[in-house]
Amino acid sequence: MEFKRHNNIEYIEKKPAKCSEKMPALIYLHGAGTRQGTLKALSENPFYAESCLFSREDSDFVCFTPLCYANSWFDIFEQLQDFVNEIVSRPDIDEKRVYLMGASMGGYGTWQLAMSMPDTFAAIVPICGGGMYWNVWELHTTYVWAFHGKEDDCVFPEESVKMVNAINSQEGNLRPKLTLIDNVAHDAWNTALASKELYDWLLSKTKLNGDGSENTAFADGKKFG
């Protein structure tokens, strides 16, 4: 585990014990509980717990966790995009296998970052988040698996449902996955981070090229203004 900085973004980089020439990368956006903190505090995030499969020594991913020094990811969004571009451009990273995951505030950031950079991520995993469901056309070549606790009273599960339903409502989009977890409140990340099924699913995804079809996402522009 290394503490690093790219411009104003501090981040943790963790490589597995065995690395190849071109590695898949996983970028994880933390929630509001870690914002404006330190990298030391970030290193104690559930993403680095023993139960998390992604950041273990025997992982197949190089993991990056940027630190939100502001009130939210949206306050430093351009800097976050620049950070992602820096990771993607590294010679040791396979640009076709860059994945994005985030929880709570990071779940919202995951949805928005993927929609703003639709040619970047092979797959995303937004956990207990939500977003601008009318803009999901941008994700038509991005694999999505969303997680949400059914008992979440902080970010209601309907937020994930809206996003997934919006993707499904448009022809030509990849079919997203949604896991609503029984008897779980806001901490759905514990289930997702420990899921071997999710681990294998992510690792199996490679970035698809756009099909060049016409963007009809704003055909009802009068409705949305």
Side-chain angles (χ1 to χ4, degrees):
M1 181 184 296
E2 297 181 79
F3 291 2
K4 295 187 174 183
R5 176 187 288 270
H6 172 69
N7 294 331
N8 291 332
I9 298 284
E10 293 184 289
Y11 67 98
I12 296 175
E13 176 180 336
K14 187 169 185 182
K15 293 182 178 179
K18 295 181 180 180
C19 291
S20 57
E21 184 177 351
K22 287 281 190 177
M23 294 288 294
L26 175 61
I27 299 171
Y28 182 81
L29 304 183
H30 64 74
T34 314
R35 64 185 168 181
Q36 301 177 0
T38 64
L39 291 181
K40 175 64 167 61
L42 180 57
S43 71
E44 298 171 359
N45 185 276
F47 185 77
Y48 291 109
E50 291 184 7
S51 58
C52 177
L53 300 180
F54 299 92
S55 60
R56 287 170 28 167
E57 293 297 318
D58 60 351
S59 173
D60 293 283
F61 302 89
V62 179
C63 295
F64 301 91
T65 49
L67 177 65
C68 181
Y69 63 85
N71 188 56
S72 76
W73 291 114
F74 298 101
D75 293 332
I76 57 170
F77 200 72
E78 290 186 3
Q79 295 173 56
L80 183 59
Q81 290 177 302
D82 179 63
F83 169 78
V84 170
N85 286 328
E86 172 69 15
I87 299 304
V88 174
S89 67
R90 284 178 34 158
D92 61 332
I93 297 301
D94 184 349
E95 64 179 11
K96 291 290 188 180
R97 294 189 296 163
V98 177
Y99 311 98
L100 180 64
M101 181 188 298
S104 192
M105 180 182 79
Y108 279 88
T110 294
W111 282 115
Q112 186 57 42
L113 195 57
M115 290 187 290
S116 299
M117 306 178 74
D119 298 323
T120 301
F121 305 104
I124 64 170
V125 184
I127 305 167
C128 54
M132 297 187 292
Y133 52 86
W134 56 87
N135 199 39
V136 296
W137 185 91
E138 297 290 357
L139 301 176
H140 68 288
T141 60
T142 303
Y143 294 98
V144 175
W145 190 346
F147 285 76
H148 219 121
K150 287 185 178 180
E151 308 303 321
D152 193 339
D153 60 0
C154 182
V155 178
F156 296 127
E158 287 78 13
E159 294 301 303
S160 287
V161 172
K162 283 181 185 178
M163 297 297 286
V164 169
N165 285 348
I167 296 173
N168 281 326
S169 71
Q170 298 183 19
E171 294 183 6
N173 286 354
L174 295 172
R175 297 299 90 180
K177 294 166 68 71
L178 172 62
T179 297
L180 298 174
I181 311 164
D182 292 324
N183 303 314
V184 168
H186 192 52
D187 58 345
W189 52 80
N190 290 327
T191 299
L193 294 176
S195 172
K196 183 63 165 58
E197 184 181 1
L198 172 60
Y199 183 99
D200 293 338
W201 178 86
L202 258 189
L203 204 57
S204 72
K205 304 306 179 188
T206 302
K207 180 62 189 171
L208 300 178
N209 294 323
D211 60 6
S213 59
E214 181 182 0
N215 184 346
T216 59
F218 307 108
D220 51 1
K222 291 183 179 180
K223 179 179 178 180
F224 293 110

